[in-house]
Amino acid sequence: MLSVQDMSSDSFSTLICGVLLVVVLPVVSHLAKMVWRRKRLVDDKGNQIPHGPVGLPIIGSFYSLMSFPELKLYEWAQKFGSIYSMWLGNQLFVVISDPNVVKDLLVSNGAIFSSRKEMYVKSKLVFAGRGITTTPYDDKWKKHRRLGSTWLHKPAVEKYSNTLDDEAVVFVQDLYRHSKGGNVPIDISRHAARYPFNNMLAITFGVPPIEDVNDPFVAEAIRLAHEFMNTTGPVHNLIDFVPLLQYLPSFLSPMKARGKKLHNDLIATYGKMLLEVEERLKRQEPVPDCLAKTVLESKEELGLDQLDMAMLCAIFMIAGVFTTSSVVLWFSALIPAYPEIQAKAHEELDRVVGRDRLPTVEDEKDMPYIHALIKEVERCRNPFWLGTPHVNTHDFTYRGQFIPKDSVVIINTYTMHHDPQRYPDPHTFNPERYIDDSTMSSASANLSNPLERDHWMFGAGRRICPGMWLAEREVYLAIVRMLWAFRLEEIPGEPIDLKEYDGASGRCPVPFRVKLVPRHENVAKVLGL
C-alpha cells in the first residue's frame, strides 16, 4: 500500500487539493449561500421579510417540525400572524394561514407564485425532474399539465362515468363479501385503494380492472403510493434544505437511498406498463383511449422522452390512488364515533333514494346533508395538511412584507381548516357547517370570495389539483354507497386512533378495523349478491 512517505511532494499536494475540492468547498459554498440568503432580507424600500421563529444555525426550524408539524405551524400562526417566515436549512419559507392572502398571492399574482422548488428527494431523486407536481412553472410543466387535464377535467370524467359507477358498486359488493355480511370485522384499506386504482388503470393505461383485492399488483400500488407520501413531505427531509447532506453516499443517507429505490420501482411498475402500451400500438393492436396512448402518440410533437412519459403516468397513478382512498379511509375511521350523524345520513338516504336501488350521482343535489358530511370529512381530516409548496420567481412585497425571489410559499391548510372564526369549535366533526353549501369543491375553488370556499384540500392558483373532478366523483360514490348499505360501528376493544397517521406528505389513518352492519334485508339483493 502506498504511504504518505512514499508520495512525492506533488502527489501529496494533489491529494490535499482533491480533499479540499470534495469536502471543504461544498461546506464553504453552502455556508456562503446561507449567509447570502439571510442577508437578502430587505427590499430597496426597507421592507423586511415576515416575522417568524428564529430557529437554529444550519438547520433552522427543522427540529420543531419533526413531530406533528401541523400543530407547531398552527401555534406559530397564532403568534406571528397570517403570514410568517421560517428557515429550513438555507431555504426561506413563507407560511400563509389566511384565505385572503392565499388569493392575493397564489391567484391574483399567479404569474409570480406558481413555480415549484425542486426538492432534492421528491424532484431530483424520485421524479428525476419530470413530475407534473414538482417541476417549475415552465414550458415542460405546461405540456404535462395540458396532457393531464385532457384526462381529468369535467368532460373527461363524464366520458368514463360508467367505469367509476361500476367500480363503486364492486367496492361495496366486496365490502359485503369480505365482512361476510357484517359478521366479520374488516380492514377496508385495501378495498379503498383498489377502487380508485382500477379507475386509474383504465384512465392511465386502458387496461381491465383488477378483480381480486388481494392481487399483488394492488399491494404494490398501495406500497408505492404510501412510500411516496412518506418520503416527500414538504418539511420532512433535512436533505432537501441542507445541500451538504446531498453529497453523502446512499449507504450513509437512508432517505437518499429510499428516493432512488422509489424512482426505480416506479419505472419497474408504471414505466413497464407504458412500454406494454407502446408495444401494443406498434403491433397495431386496439388500445382504448387513455393517457399512455395520448402521450405516446404526442411524444414527438411535444418533445417528450421515455422518462417524461413514465413519470407522468406514475404521478397519475400515485395521486389518483392516494387521494380518494385516504378520504374514504378517514370517513370510515371517523363516522363510527358519530352514530347520530350516521342516523341523519341514513334518514336522508331512505327519504331520497329508498332501499330498492343504489344512490347515483344524480341524487347528490337532493341530499344536502351527505354532501355536507363529505365536505366536513375533507375539512377536518384533509389528507394534505400542508399545501404543495409554491415558489415565487421574482421579488415581491406584500402589505409591507418582503418575499425574496425563490422563497418557498406554502398554504398552511391545517391552520385555515381549524380557524375558530371560520369554523366555530373547529375540532368537532359537524357536517351542519356546510348544510347550506351546495357547491362542488371544484366550483367552490373558483369563488371570488376566498372566505366562502369550502376547504383547501386541492390547493389554489394555477397549480391547483387538476384531478378535482375525478376525486370528487369517486369520493361521493364510495361514501354515499357505503352509507346506503352499512352502519359503520367501532369494534369493542379496538379503538380507532384518530390522532396518529401514516404519511408525511399526504396522510391516511393508521390501520384499523370496523364492523359493517347491513342496514336492511335488501342490501344483498340490490348489490346482486
Side-chain angles (χ1 to χ4, degrees), residues 38 52-64 76 86-88:
R38 296 187 185 224
V54 176
L56 296 174
I58 306 296
I59 66 172
S61 294
F62 184 82
Y63 71 97
S64 298
W76 285 340
M86 64 181 182
W87 288 92
L88 296 182

Side-chain angles (χ1 to χ4, degrees), residues 3-307:
S3 68
V4 172
Q5 288 83 359
D6 297 325
M7 289 183 174
S8 67
S9 176
D10 287 344
S11 298
F12 189 69
S13 298
T14 300
L15 176 63
I16 294 299
C17 289
V19 171
L20 288 172
L21 286 171
V22 173
V23 178
V24 178
L25 278 184
V27 174
V28 173
S29 174
H30 171 68
L31 293 176
K33 286 179 180 178
M34 289 187 69
V35 170
W36 181 84
R37 285 284 287 161
R38 296 187 185 224
K39 278 186 175 180
R40 237 184 116 259
L41 304 181
V42 181
D43 68 8
D44 54 7
K45 295 182 179 179
N47 295 302
Q48 299 182 337
I49 63 170
H51 293 298
V54 176
L56 296 174
I58 306 296
I59 66 172
S61 294
F62 184 82
Y63 71 97
S64 298
L65 303 174
M66 297 176 68
S67 178
F68 297 105
E70 70 277 16
L71 300 182
K72 180 56 70 173
L73 294 178
Y74 180 92
E75 176 188 323
W76 285 340
Q78 311 315 303
K79 181 176 181 180
F80 298 110
S82 60
I83 177 169
Y84 62 88
S85 68
M86 64 181 182
W87 288 92
L88 296 182
N90 67 350
Q91 179 62 57
L92 177 65
F93 276 67
V94 175
V95 184
I96 307 172
S97 308
D98 182 322
N100 284 310
V101 180
V102 173
K103 181 181 180 182
D104 289 347
L105 297 184
L106 304 189
V107 179
S108 300
N109 288 282
I112 294 175
F113 287 92
S114 292
S115 197
R116 297 282 199 224
K117 176 178 172 60
E118 294 191 276
M119 302 291 190
Y120 180 72
V121 174
K122 184 176 182 180
S123 304
K124 297 184 179 180
L125 296 182
V126 177
F127 284 140
R130 315 300 176 100
I132 188 172
T133 64
T134 65
T135 49
Y137 187 65
D138 56 16
D139 289 341
K140 178 182 287 187
W141 174 80
K142 291 175 182 177
K143 290 178 185 178
H144 286 195
R145 177 79 175 200
R146 281 195 299 271
L147 284 171
S149 296
T150 300
W151 291 97
L152 294 174
H153 58 42
K154 185 179 179 181
V157 173
E158 295 298 338
K159 285 182 180 179
Y160 42 77
S161 59
N162 288 342
T163 298
L164 306 183
D165 190 89
D166 291 345
E167 285 303 318
V169 174
V170 172
F171 168 63
V172 181
Q173 287 174 332
D174 269 12
L175 292 180
Y176 190 94
R177 288 194 191 99
H178 283 256
S179 68
K180 300 189 183 305
N183 292 307
V184 176
I186 183 172
D187 176 352
I188 73 166
S189 58
R190 191 164 291 194
H191 300 271
R194 188 191 59 164
Y195 162 52
F197 177 61
N198 278 343
N199 291 331
M200 294 312 300
L201 284 178
I203 294 167
T204 308
F205 297 108
V207 298
I210 303 296
E211 295 183 359
D212 184 2
V213 74
N214 294 313
D215 190 297
F217 194 11
V218 176
E220 179 65 1
I222 295 172
R223 185 190 72 80
L224 290 172
H226 282 252
E227 179 66 358
F228 178 79
M229 296 302 166
N230 275 298
T231 57
T232 60
V235 296
H236 181 64
N237 296 320
L238 193 59
I239 192 172
D240 285 333
F241 314 115
V242 181
L244 286 175
L245 301 177
Q246 297 166 15
Y247 290 90
L248 294 175
S250 294
F251 70 87
L252 292 177
S253 175
M255 193 56 70
K256 189 174 183 178
R258 286 176 69 180
K260 289 181 176 181
K261 183 179 186 307
L262 179 55
H263 172 83
N264 292 333
D265 290 346
L266 292 173
I267 294 294
T269 301
Y270 299 127
K272 178 184 176 183
M273 294 187 72
L274 177 71
L275 289 175
E276 290 171 352
V277 174
E278 188 172 28
E279 288 301 313
R280 290 168 62 192
L281 289 172
K282 286 179 179 178
R283 294 193 297 266
Q284 297 186 338
E285 295 177 6
V287 175
D289 289 338
C290 59
L291 173 69
K293 181 179 179 180
T294 299
V295 298
L296 286 165
E297 292 177 342
S298 307
K299 64 179 181 180
E300 293 183 5
E301 175 190 350
L302 298 176
L304 302 172
D305 62 25
Q306 204 70 22
L307 192 55

